[in-house]
Amino acid sequence: MDLQLSGRVAVVTGASKGIGLAVTRTLLDEGVRVVAASRKSTPELEALGGDALIHVPVDLMNPEAPGQVVSRAVEEWGGLDILVNNAGGPPPGVALPRMSFLGPADDDWRVMFEFNLFSVVRAVRAAIPPMLRRSGGSIVNVSSGSARLPAPMNVDYNAAKAALNNLTKALSEEFAPQGVRVNAVSPGPVRTAWWTEEGGAADIIAAQAGTDRDNVMDSVAPEMMKLSTGRLVEPQEVADVIALLVSPRSASTTGADFAVDAGFLKEI
């Protein structure tokens, strides 16, 4: 299927690994010019190379960073058509899961919202004017199935993502009539660094369950989270949905939230 994306300009945050890397690769394959934002590059991102990819090293916890990334896209390629707000999850230096509401203190809540909500607010604020100058664009916010499944585990993260879902709907309501579509994608547990890195979720759960990280990702986590497919989601599976959403082939899709979650969310 031709996604009709060739020649368009995109910004992807959290682009150096996981879902962001998969989105960047997929958009490049579709002929998109991509500004990839992350704190640092990775060999996997560098391997994509080519004239259609620019890496901007930024810390999105810096209030100025989202605007700087969007400005770079406009300076290099004259405008912006696509924004994928993928950066999120545990803020730098934070390990999840947290098992109780009583765990995170005020500062923990602040940095969680800074990373998972306010950085998106700033990126969208910067992106919409150049999109409007091109008579439209597409924004995809990467949320989480946990935004719609209240639980005491990771309560600060879940609340930030619930706010992101509300923001997505509000943005769509205001800007869809002007040609800017805004949607969300809500992954379940994805086999990314959040799980796989040393000290990450797999190690934390393994220590509590008396097992090893591989068993957590292959068996314990899918069973604990009641995943219908019996396995974690792969980053490319999320990236494929995002690529379709930013495509003109999804021209009538806005204000929606797509679950790519291995059957995690059971509610209607």
Side-chain angles (χ1 to χ4, degrees), residues 57-71:
V58 291
D59 181 354
L60 292 173
M61 301 286 280
N62 176 355
E64 304 299 321
Q68 292 169 356
V69 177
V70 170
S71 294

Side-chain angles (χ1 to χ4, degrees), residues 5-9 25-34 52:
L5 288 171
S6 182
R8 295 176 186 257
V9 178
R25 182 188 301 111
T26 302
L27 293 182
L28 289 171
D29 288 345
E30 293 294 330
V32 178
R33 292 169 288 181
V34 179

